[in-house]
């Protein structure tokens, strides 16, 4: 397995409210996570960093996750725990009132990947079939697209594009999407915040992921292109490639 994580403040924002990383557990499996924080004065980075720090700590001490059910249950339990942790922190720290974060997280083993998401941070899969988004945005414009009120093209420039219908840390109960996919030799999983997906289209993502660069260079190329196209938001991504090689640059 090869993996890389990169985050960039972008060209406009004063602070980076994204966080993430790729982490290993006691069985050698990976947890890749991207969180895009929001709300309050500097509270977005508090929400995203608390999410990553907590999941990293829990994952690094975990073991015995061998089936898709194991992975799905771990993600459900841990994300629900983080949700309550964020709510409690916001309740006890007035400067963090209203904070929250998106999350897209994937457990990757030698045979499958299990992906959970809340909000509009996304997961994409590149395999022998092609390149496609494998998560569903929990946003107002996506609901308008799903209901046929606007087209996918209209959604790209909709004035309320950033309105989320779900986020982590904003309600007592949290609903997430979760799915498991087969992950095979040569497959590439891309997780990213909307700072990337709003600025780099799927054709460009696929071209970069399929080129001959190493994973660090591919990640850098994606960040560079998002900045070249405006860089108005923080840009964060994790790339995991199924390979027998265990070379990686995984970090928070």
């Amino acid at each position: 397995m090869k993996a890389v994580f990169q985050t960039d403040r972008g060209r406009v924002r004063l602070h980076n409210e994204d966080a993430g990383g790729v982490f290993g557990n006691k069985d050698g499996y990976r947890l890749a996570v991207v969180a895009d924080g929001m709300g309050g004065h500097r509270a977005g980075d508090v929400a995203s960093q608390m999410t990553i720090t907590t999941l990293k700590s829990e994952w690094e001490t975990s073991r015995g996750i061998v089936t898709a059910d194991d992975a799905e249950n771990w993600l459900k339990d841990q994300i629900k725990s983080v949700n309550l942790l964020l709510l409690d922190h916001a309740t006890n720290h007035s400067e963090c009132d209203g904070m929250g974060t998106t999350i897209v997280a994937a457990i990757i083993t030698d045979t499958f990947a299990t992906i959970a998401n809340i909000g509009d941070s996304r997961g994409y899969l590149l395999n022998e079939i092609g390149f496609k988004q494998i998560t569903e945005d929990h946003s107002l414009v996506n609901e308008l697209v799903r209901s046929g009120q606007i087209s996918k093209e209209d959604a790209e420039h909709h004035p309320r594009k950033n309105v989320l219908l779900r986020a982590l840390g904003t309600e007592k109960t949290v609903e997430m999407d979760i799915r498991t996919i087969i992950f095979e030799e040569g497959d590439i999983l891309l997780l990213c915040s909307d700072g990337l997906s709003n600025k780099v289209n799927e054709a460009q993502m696929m071209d970069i992921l399929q080129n001959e660069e190493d994973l660090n260079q591919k990640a850098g190329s994606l960040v560079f292109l998002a900045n070249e196209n405006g860089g108005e938001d923080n840009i964060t991504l994790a790339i995991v490639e199924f390979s027998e090689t265990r070379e990686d640059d995984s970090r928070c």
Side-chain angles (χ1 to χ4, degrees):
M1 205 77 65
K2 295 188 289 186
V4 64
F5 169 79
Q6 284 195 24
T7 187
D8 188 88
R9 181 168 55 87
R11 293 185 171 177
V12 176
R13 298 288 179 90
L14 295 177
H15 308 291
N16 191 346
E17 296 189 335
D18 289 359
V22 186
F23 314 109
N25 74 349
K26 291 183 177 296
D27 294 322
Y29 296 146
R30 300 297 180 91
L31 172 71
V33 194
V34 168
D36 180 354
M38 60 192 187
H41 177 64
R42 295 298 308 274
D45 58 339
V46 174
S48 61
Q49 193 58 61
M50 284 180 65
T51 297
I52 299 306
T53 299
T54 304
L55 291 177
K56 176 179 184 290
S57 176
E58 293 296 327
W59 180 252
E60 288 179 340
T61 58
S62 71
R63 66 187 321 153
I65 297 173
V66 295
T67 69
D69 283 345
D70 293 336
E72 291 186 7
N73 288 332
W74 191 93
L75 284 170
K76 288 175 184 176
D77 291 344
Q78 296 303 325
I79 290 173
K80 287 177 181 177
S81 293
V82 170
N83 185 64
L84 295 177
L85 179 69
L86 295 182
L87 270 175
D88 182 68
H89 185 86
T91 299
N92 291 295
H93 298 80
S94 59
E95 70 276 12
C96 293
D97 183 43
M99 76 174 186
T101 183
T102 70
I103 185 173
V104 57
I107 290 174
I108 305 106
T109 73
D110 292 335
T111 55
F112 65 83
T114 299
I115 303 100
N117 73 290
I118 301 169
D120 61 358
S121 290
R122 294 179 176 179
Y124 295 90
L125 177 67
L126 176 66
N127 60 16
E128 60 183 6
I129 299 173
F131 181 74
K132 66 176 181 178
Q133 181 180 342
I134 56 173
T135 57
E136 192 80 33
D137 292 355
H138 305 134
S139 65
L140 174 63
V141 294
N142 191 52
E143 285 304 308
L144 295 176
V145 171
R146 282 160 53 92
S147 64
Q149 296 181 58
I150 64 173
S151 68
K152 192 172 182 179
E153 292 72 25
D154 292 337
E156 294 300 316
H157 308 286
H158 197 280
R160 302 189 70 190
K161 185 175 182 178
N162 293 327
V163 177
L164 296 180
L165 301 181
R166 297 188 207 171
L168 188 64
T170 59
E171 303 285 346
K172 286 185 178 180
T173 58
V174 62
E175 184 180 354
M176 71 195 80
D177 290 349
I178 192 161
R179 64 180 298 187
T180 295
I181 60 173
I182 301 300
F183 201 53
E184 300 178 313
E185 180 74 18
D187 291 357
I188 296 178
L189 183 67
L190 168 66
L191 308 183
C192 68
S193 63
D194 65 346
L196 180 71
S197 58
N198 282 344
K199 291 297 176 180
V200 181
N201 64 43
E202 291 187 11
Q204 293 169 321
M205 290 181 188
M206 183 171 66
D207 285 345
I208 289 172
L209 292 177
Q210 286 181 323
N211 68 30
E212 296 303 315
E213 296 177 328
D214 64 29
L215 285 194
N216 273 307
Q217 292 171 319
K218 290 176 181 180
S221 295
L222 288 166
V223 170
F224 175 81
L225 187 54
N227 275 321
E228 282 294 286
N229 290 338
E232 291 92 351
D233 201 354
N234 309 141
I235 306 153
T236 301
L237 60 91
I239 307 173
V240 183
E241 180 178 4
F242 193 110
S243 169
E244 296 303 321
T245 306
R246 283 194 172 268
E247 170 191 353
D248 71 275
D249 184 20
S250 314
R251 60 190 184 278
C252 180

